[in-house]
Amino acid sequence: SAPAGLLHPQTLQASSQNSSLGIFVLGLPFALVQSGYVGLVLLVLSAWVCNHTGRTLVSCLYEEEMSGGSGSVSKVRVRTSYQDIMEACCKGLWPNWSGVGGLMVNVAQVIELLMTCTLYLLVSTSLLFDSLSWVAVPRSVCSLVSLVFLLPCLLLTDLRPVSTLSLLCSLAHILISLLVMLYCLSCASSWSWSSLSLSVDPEDFLVSVGVIIFSYTSQIFLPPLEGSMEDRGQFNVMLGWTHGAACIMKTMFSLLAVLTWGPETSEVITDNLPSDLRPLVNLCLLAKAQLSYPLPFYAAAEILQTCVLRAVSRPALVVRGALLMTSYLLALLVPRFSLLMGLTGSVTGAAMTLILPCLFHLRLQWSRLTVKDRLIDVGILSLGVICSVSGVICSVKRLLEGL
C-alpha cells in the first residue's frame, strides 16, 4: 500500500488538518482579489466539492457483502489506501494496468508533496527576507539559511514528535489568522467593496482557481485517516464539520483582508501588515513554515524509498538529500508564491481531489449509484478536467514569463 498508510494516526490527523488550515491560506486573499466575487462562490463551492469527493473516495474502500443467514447487506473495508483504490479501478482494463495505476498515484503524491515542501521553503525565504530587510540580506542568502535549518529532516526516521509539533503549528496558525482578522476589523471604517469585481482577467481567474483548490487538498491522507478512527461511522460527520469550519475561516479571512487592502493585497497577506505588527507575525509564521516542512518531506521520502529503492540505509539518505535539494532549487527558480500554488492545485490538486475520486466512484460503484449521484460525479469530473488543463496552461505561461 502507499506509504501514507504507514504513518502514525496522530501524523495523519496533523497532515489532514494542515491541508485544510495550512499556511497556504495566506495566499487566498490575493486569489480572491484576482477572482473577484466569483472567488467567494468558489471558496464555498470548493469546500462542498472537496467534502463530497472525500466521502466518495473513502466509500471506494468498501465493498458490499451479503451476511450469512440473515441475507442483509453489510459494507466491508477491503482496501486501505489511495493506491489500493487506483489498482482496483484499473483491474481488468489492460494487462498490468493495476501496477501502472498504482505507480501513477505514487508519482502524483510525490509531486504534490514536493510542491508543498517547495512552498513551505518559499514562504520561509520570503518571511526571513522581510524580517531582515533592515540589514539588506540578499534573498538567495535567506533561502540558504532556511535550507540549513531544514537539514535535520535528512535524519528523520519517526514522525511522532513532528506530528505533535504540527498540531501546535495548526493552533499557532489559527491564532495568527485571528490576529490578522482582528487588525482588519479595526480598519472597518476604510473598507471598500470596490476591491471585488465581477469582471476579472481570465488567466488570473484560472490561476486563482488552482490556488483555492490547493488550499482544500487533503484526499491523499483520508483513507488511512479513516482507517485510524475508532468509530469509522463518524467519518462523514467529521469531514463535513472540518470542511465547513475551514470554509468559514478561509472565506472570512480572505474577505476581511481584501476589504482592508483591496488591490494592494500581497501574495502573502502578512506583507500588508503594519511595520509594528508584521515582524512578530512573520517570525511566528517562519517558525510554523519550518516546523511544517518535515511532514510532506517525510511522506514523499517514504514513497520514493518504498517504491524506488526499498531501502532504509545510505540510499535512503541520498533520496532524502535529493528531495531536499530539489525543493530548494525549485524555491530559487520560482518567482512567485501564488503561481506555484496555482500550478500545483491545477495539476495534482485537481487530479487527486476532483478527477480521480469521481472516476473511482463511477468505476467501482456504478451499479449502486443513483442517476443523481452519477450526474454529480460526472459534473465534478468534467469541471476538474477543465480547471486542471486551463489552470496548468495559464500557470506555466506566467511562470515562464517570470523566469
Side-chain angles (χ1 to χ4, degrees):
S1 63
L6 303 177
L7 297 180
H8 191 268
Q10 252 193 319
T11 302
L12 293 166
Q13 291 168 358
S15 301
S16 182
Q17 192 171 7
N18 277 344
S19 297
S20 294
L21 281 173
I23 201 168
F24 310 124
V25 175
L26 301 177
L28 286 180
F30 184 75
L32 186 57
V33 169
Q34 301 291 306
S35 56
Y37 281 101
V38 182
L40 287 175
V41 178
L42 281 174
L43 281 168
V44 178
L45 182 61
S46 296
W48 180 85
V49 169
C50 292
N51 178 55
H52 174 79
T53 58
R55 292 184 180 191
T56 57
L57 178 68
V58 168
S59 71
C60 291
L61 297 170
Y62 292 82
E63 292 288 349
E64 291 184 350
E65 291 187 0
M66 296 289 293
S67 299
S70 62
S72 60
V73 178
S74 60
K75 291 185 177 181
V76 180
R77 200 174 197 266
V78 297
R79 304 176 188 101
T80 59
S81 68
Y82 207 120
Q83 182 181 351
D84 289 344
I85 300 172
M86 183 66 165
E87 290 176 351
C89 192
C90 291
K91 268 182 185 176
L93 294 179
W94 199 264
N96 300 321
W97 262 48
S98 60
V100 173
L103 179 62
M104 289 171 58
V105 165
N106 284 330
V107 169
Q109 287 185 89
V110 169
I111 292 174
E112 182 170 327
L113 292 166
L114 176 60
M115 291 301 102
T116 303
C117 290
T118 303
L119 284 164
Y120 279 131
L121 192 50
L122 193 59
V123 170
S124 296
T125 300
S126 298
L127 293 171
L128 189 60
F129 179 73
D130 185 72
S131 300
L132 299 178
S133 57
W134 58 280
V135 291
V137 177
R139 191 179 182 88
S140 57
V141 174
C142 293
S143 183
L144 186 59
V145 171
S146 298
L147 176 70
V148 169
F149 280 104
L150 294 173
L151 288 178
C153 291
L154 296 174
L155 305 177
L156 279 178
T157 57
D158 187 352
L159 256 185
R160 277 173 290 189
V162 181
S163 68
T164 303
L165 291 175
S166 183
L167 288 172
L168 293 175
C169 285
S170 297
L171 294 175
H173 182 75
I174 292 173
L175 176 61
I176 293 167
S177 297
L178 290 175
L179 288 174
V180 174
M181 291 166 67
L182 287 173
Y183 174 80
C184 292
L185 289 171
S186 70
C187 302
S189 58
S190 62
W191 283 356
S192 173
W193 285 93
S194 61
S195 305
L196 292 172
S197 173
L198 285 173
S199 59
V200 294
D201 180 86
E203 289 189 4
D204 289 338
F205 173 74
L206 290 171
V207 172
S208 298
V209 171
V211 172
I212 292 171
I213 291 174
F214 186 70
S215 73
Y216 281 106
T217 54
S218 62
Q219 264 67 359
I220 62 174
F221 299 108
L222 294 184
L225 175 58
E226 190 261 356
S228 70
M229 293 180 65
E230 291 184 4
D231 184 3
R232 295 175 185 170
Q234 294 298 311
F235 174 80
N236 286 347
V237 176
M238 179 275 295
L239 197 66
W241 278 103
T242 299
H243 280 88
C247 176
I248 293 171
M249 185 75 173
K250 291 174 183 179
T251 304
M252 288 182 58
F253 180 83
S254 304
L255 183 58
L256 291 178
V258 172
L259 290 175
T260 302
W261 290 292
E264 304 301 318
T265 302
S266 300
E267 290 192 6
V268 180
I269 195 60
T270 52
D271 291 344
N272 288 112
L273 292 173
S275 56
D276 57 340
L277 180 61
R278 187 168 60 191
L280 174 62
V281 174
N282 279 355
L283 287 175
C284 293
L285 286 171
L286 175 61
K288 173 180 167 51
Q290 290 275 310
L291 293 172
S292 298
Y293 184 97
L295 269 173
F297 177 84
Y298 179 82
E302 284 292 296
I303 293 173
L304 289 173
Q305 290 166 210
T306 304
C307 300
V308 180
L309 293 178
R310 303 183 184 278
V312 292
S313 55
R314 288 185 181 178
L317 188 61
V318 172
V319 169
R320 291 167 186 264
L323 194 62
L324 185 65
M325 289 306 301
T326 300
S327 65
Y328 171 67
L329 292 175
L330 285 173
L332 287 178
L333 291 172
V334 174
R336 289 172 56 186
F337 170 80
S338 65
L339 289 181
L340 182 59
M341 189 174 170
L343 178 61
T344 305
S346 298
V347 180
T348 60
M352 304 290 284
T353 305
L354 305 181
I355 300 172
L356 290 179
C358 292
L359 276 177
F360 296 156
H361 203 217
L362 292 169
R363 164 72 173 161
L364 298 175
Q365 300 187 9
W366 176 268
S367 61
R368 300 196 295 271
L369 299 180
T370 64
V371 174
K372 178 183 176 182
D373 292 332
R374 294 172 185 174
L375 289 175
I376 291 175
D377 282 344
V378 171
I380 294 175
L381 193 157
S382 303
L383 184 65
V385 171
I386 294 171
C387 292
S388 180
V389 173
S390 55
V392 167
I393 293 172
C394 294
S395 297
V396 169
K397 180 182 175 183
R398 296 289 181 88
L399 280 170
L400 292 177
E401 288 174 355
L403 293 177

